[in-house]
Amino acid sequence: MLSETKLNVLKQISVDLSRDEAIWASGYLAGLAGGTTLTAALPPQQIDHSIQNTVKKITLAYGTETGNSKKLATSLAGIIKKNGIQVKLTDLSQYKAKDLSKEEFFFVVISTQGEGDPPVLAKKFYDYIYENEINLSNLKFGVLALGDSSYPLFCKTGEDVDSRFENLGGQRIIPLKKCDIDYEQDAQNWIEHVFEAVNKTSGISSKNATVQKVSTGRKKYQGKISAILNLNDITSEKETYHIEIETEEALVYQPGAALGVLPFNSKTIVEEIITLTGIDPKKQISTSKITDTVEELLHRYLNISYLLKSVVAQYSKITGHSIPEVRLSLLDLLRIYPVKNAEEFEDVIQILTGQAPRLYSISSSPEAHGENEIHITVAKSEFFIDHEKHKGLCSGFLSEFNEGEDVEFYIQDAGHFKLPEPDKDIIMIGPGTGIAPFRSFLWERDAVGGEGKNWLFFGDRNFVSDFIYQAEIQDFLKTGSLTNLDLAFSRDTAEKIYVQHKLEQKAQEVFYWLEGGASVYVCGTKDPMSRDVEDTLLNIIQQHGKRSKEEALHYLEEMELSGRYAKDVY
């Protein structure tokens, strides 16, 4: 019998054990009673001595912008550890690239941003490996690249890192894997190949490796449109919609996060495609990821609006047409370069990429608007091709919703684009719909009573017709939640004034805020707005900080690495 003291200790230890932990503990105690050692009671994956003794350690590094690469790498690291391999998980923003030559096994999970750019926090690593001749002859590596196939430079950063490692003498022991938006299955296959490659290289069997299912962690929410309002005046050339969505399920997000929507293609366009090709709309067809009728595949699941050049090239091979290197919609392709028959169009369906979700900065605050309501700000995109008016797929899809209609969405974590502590100052630069996350920031800080100062630079075409959220912003200014406000309306003056010009006008005060620890956020179009704003910030740091160009670059880079300079640009 145990003494009362020992019994109380055992009770304290066991009270929070799960069922599996309790079973293991009972086996362990039974083993002690029988004179066996601790390892006899351990699960097989924890005592795979052949792996532990042969592979000392692998490094798994991630480069992330929105947090996907980090979440995936963390999940993969957990799986690797459970299979008895020691793994070092590291962020490329913190990794010392000069240590690469000392690594034995090095695996990278990295995303691509915008026009083939590396994630902001991984750029220093990316530049280092391209600017230095490192001897990687001892390195065995593999790269998992995340991207969005709706962009022409799909997974370019991953391709660059993979090829550079090889050029520096590294041994690629697993082929580059390029993953689209839905990367769950591809990541699953990749981690299985990692085990095979590591074990093969080490001369041991991988029969004991057990690979759990990889989860993307993307939770789908069902909501109803509770309000939809055009924020622009009737005299404006633009349409910007404030859209509110209500849910029964509680929402979890931080200011700075984005809402992802998978848009549907126009049924009118789908009907035109079906008519042109003569295909049976009810015919069931299996693609690489889904099986459904032709009309549902074209309406809900496949990208038909703006095909990649690679898809157009494959279309050319199938149909036998000589087609220049262009990007066209499927409907335009069929009109100009028609298929011979419905059977040939079935082959075309197989080469179409999946519909990619579109992300919109969330413009509501969980603290101010509650856990069952979420807002986005959407600019309706319209353009002309050969004198024919077209609209942006997702912006048109969202702006034409009616109150009460259902919508499915998910939430993309804020990643690096998130508020600092409530007592820290922030500078927000967001013309047009770039104001969306800053509306979220201001509502959040107002709701929690944050003591940090808040400075907003906003601009658009005309004050009267395009000052979106004007009443709210002016109220924040009156109550003190917004400390400073600078506006730039480019069409209201003879000389066009943009937000970067307003930054220049307040250069000395802006630098004073930077030196005081303020964080700077930029949201909106990448070209030319974000580049012009960054150039202006560098000039301010040079002039008012009395620094050289190189020192100013380093100053801004340090702000970026520490999370004090963040961009959400598109």
Side-chain angles (χ1 to χ4, degrees):
M1 293 291 292
L2 291 176
S3 66
E4 185 175 348
T5 302
K6 289 182 178 179
L7 182 60
N8 287 334
V9 170
L10 184 60
K11 286 179 179 179
Q12 290 174 4
I13 294 172
S14 60
V15 68
D16 292 324
L17 292 180
S18 67
R19 181 177 180 275
D20 289 342
E21 289 169 336
I23 292 171
W24 180 89
S26 64
Y28 173 71
L29 293 173
L32 287 179
T36 56
T37 62
L38 170 64
T39 55
L42 288 173
Q45 67 267 26
Q46 294 186 29
I47 57 165
D48 190 342
H49 297 298
S50 62
I51 293 178
Q52 287 179 335
N53 294 336
T54 310
V55 181
K56 293 181 180 178
K57 180 180 69 176
I58 71 173
T59 298
L60 180 61
Y62 60 86
T64 189
E65 184 93 7
T66 61
N68 281 340
S69 295
K70 180 179 180 180
K71 282 197 297 185
L72 180 55
T74 303
S75 175
L76 296 177
I79 293 170
I80 293 169
K81 287 178 181 177
K82 287 182 179 178
N83 280 278
I85 301 177
Q86 184 183 351
V87 57
K88 175 187 175 184
L89 181 66
T90 182
D91 186 336
L92 286 177
S93 68
Q94 305 297 323
Y95 183 77
K96 295 179 181 177
K98 63 181 181 181
D99 291 341
L100 265 176
S101 58
K102 303 174 187 175
E103 300 279 3
E104 181 180 6
F105 292 98
F106 193 82
F107 298 96
V108 180
V109 180
I110 193 165
S111 61
T112 296
Q113 308 305 313
E115 300 302 315
D117 299 323
V120 167
L121 299 180
K123 191 174 185 304
K124 189 174 181 180
F125 173 87
Y126 180 91
D127 290 344
Y128 184 91
I129 63 173
Y130 268 90
E131 293 169 0
N132 295 275
E133 294 298 323
I134 318 161
N135 181 3
L136 299 185
S137 56
N138 294 321
L139 186 75
K140 303 172 186 68
F141 73 89
V143 177
L144 179 69
L146 302 188
D148 181 343
S149 61
S150 65
Y151 287 86
L153 297 176
F154 174 53
C155 289
K156 183 178 183 299
T157 299
E159 291 177 343
D160 289 347
V161 171
D162 182 79
S163 62
R164 185 58 178 164
F165 278 2
E166 182 181 40
N167 292 338
L168 292 172
Q171 178 189 350
R172 184 188 296 106
I173 63 171
I174 177 173
L176 168 71
K177 187 67 179 178
K178 297 195 288 187
C179 301
D180 209 338
I181 294 289
D182 294 316
Y183 51 76
E184 184 173 359
Q185 188 57 54
D186 286 334
Q188 183 82 21
N189 296 337
W190 186 78
I191 193 63
E192 290 175 4
H193 291 153
V194 165
F195 285 124
E196 292 172 7
V198 169
N199 292 336
K200 183 178 179 181
T201 305
S202 305
I204 58 178
S205 169
S206 60
K207 63 183 180 180
N208 291 328
T210 56
V211 182
Q212 298 174 341
K213 188 173 180 180
V214 176
S215 173
T216 62
R218 179 180 293 174
K219 178 176 176 55
K220 297 286 182 66
Y221 292 97
Q222 304 297 324
K224 284 187 183 297
I225 304 294
S226 57
I228 181 164
L229 174 69
N230 183 2
L231 297 171
N232 296 100
D233 186 77
I234 194 170
T235 60
S236 177
E237 299 172 355
K238 305 168 71 173
E239 292 179 33
T240 308
Y241 288 88
H242 172 76
I243 300 173
E244 299 183 1
I245 302 170
E246 289 184 355
T247 63
E248 292 187 3
E249 185 177 2
L251 298 164
V252 179
Y253 70 94
Q254 288 183 319
L259 181 145
V261 178
L262 191 69
F264 296 164
N265 296 306
S266 161
K267 287 190 175 181
T268 302
I269 292 176
V270 170
E271 288 168 5
E272 285 188 64
I273 290 172
I274 289 169
T275 301
L276 278 174
T277 59
I279 197 167
D280 178 3
K282 300 298 181 184
K283 183 171 184 178
Q284 290 272 332
I285 289 183
S286 295
T287 68
S288 60
K289 292 189 176 180
I290 196 163
T291 299
D292 212 322
T293 63
V294 169
E295 60 183 357
E296 282 299 290
L297 287 172
L298 296 175
H299 175 51
R300 296 169 62 96
Y301 301 110
L302 298 176
N303 173 34
I304 64 174
S305 61
Y306 192 44
L307 306 184
L308 294 170
K309 290 179 181 178
S310 58
V311 173
V312 175
Q314 291 178 74
Y315 181 97
S316 177
K317 287 181 181 179
I318 291 171
T319 61
H321 292 294
S322 179
I323 306 174
E325 194 178 80
V326 293
R327 295 191 70 181
L328 293 170
S329 71
L330 179 59
L331 182 57
D332 286 337
L333 263 183
L334 290 166
R335 285 170 174 167
I336 305 169
Y337 308 100
V339 293
K340 298 179 185 68
N341 49 46
E343 288 72 27
E344 189 170 81
F345 184 61
E346 287 186 35
D347 294 335
V348 171
I349 288 176
Q350 296 298 330
I351 66 169
L352 297 176
T353 56
Q355 188 72 279
R358 271 59 167 182
L359 292 170
Y360 292 90
S361 297
I362 296 169
S363 51
S364 54
S365 150
E367 286 294 330
H369 299 102
E371 60 182 17
N372 300 102
E373 184 177 326
I374 196 164
H375 306 167
I376 54 175
T377 309
V378 179
K380 188 173 184 179
S381 173
E382 293 183 331
F383 53 94
F384 288 87
I385 299 178
D386 295 332
H387 307 293
E388 184 178 349
K389 190 174 185 179
H390 295 261
K391 60 189 176 187
L393 174 61
C394 198
S395 63
F397 171 74
L398 288 168
S399 64
E400 292 171 7
F401 266 92
N402 296 310
E403 290 184 16
E405 287 191 275
D406 296 329
V407 61
E408 183 180 78
F409 63 93
Y410 67 93
I411 292 172
Q412 175 72 60
D413 289 345
H416 69 289
F417 201 89
K418 56 189 176 185
L419 279 168
E421 294 300 314
D423 62 339
K424 301 295 184 182
D425 300 339
I426 59 174
I427 298 173
M428 302 164 284
I429 306 162
T433 53
I435 197 174
F438 304 140
R439 178 181 185 262
S440 174
F441 283 9
L442 288 169
W443 273 110
E444 182 80 1
R445 286 209 147 179
D446 181 72
V448 301
E451 296 179 359
K453 294 182 293 183
N454 309 305
W455 189 349
L456 174 65
F457 289 84
F458 173 75
D460 212 311
R461 293 181 181 176
N462 301 103
F463 177 89
V464 172
S465 58
D466 302 315
F467 191 174
I468 61 177
Y469 297 119
Q470 178 181 352
E472 290 183 359
I473 291 171
Q474 290 175 332
D475 284 344
F476 284 133
L477 197 59
K478 289 175 184 175
T479 60
S481 294
L482 183 58
T483 317
N484 293 30
L485 174 64
D486 281 271
L487 302 171
F489 292 98
S490 60
R491 306 293 173 85
D492 285 346
T493 53
E495 184 181 354
K496 291 183 178 178
I497 303 295
Y498 298 108
V499 286
Q500 66 267 22
H501 299 128
K502 291 294 182 177
L503 275 170
E504 286 176 340
Q505 293 173 11
K506 299 294 178 69
Q508 187 169 351
E509 189 175 359
V510 167
F511 186 72
Y512 177 78
W513 279 50
L514 297 185
E515 287 289 272
S519 296
V520 178
Y521 301 88
V522 183
C523 184
T525 56
K526 183 174 184 178
D527 289 312
M529 186 277 294
S530 73
R531 295 191 190 279
D532 290 341
V533 165
E534 186 159 302
D535 288 342
T536 302
L537 287 171
L538 287 170
N539 288 335
I540 290 171
I541 295 165
Q542 276 185 257
Q543 293 173 15
H544 294 273
K546 300 188 180 346
R547 287 169 169 81
S548 67
K549 184 177 180 180
E550 291 71 25
E551 289 170 338
L553 282 167
H554 181 71
Y555 186 102
L556 202 58
E557 183 183 75
E558 288 299 310
M559 284 185 61
E560 203 163 26
L561 291 174
S562 65
R564 287 182 51 222
Y565 177 47
K567 294 175 285 188
D568 179 7
V569 296
Y570 36 83

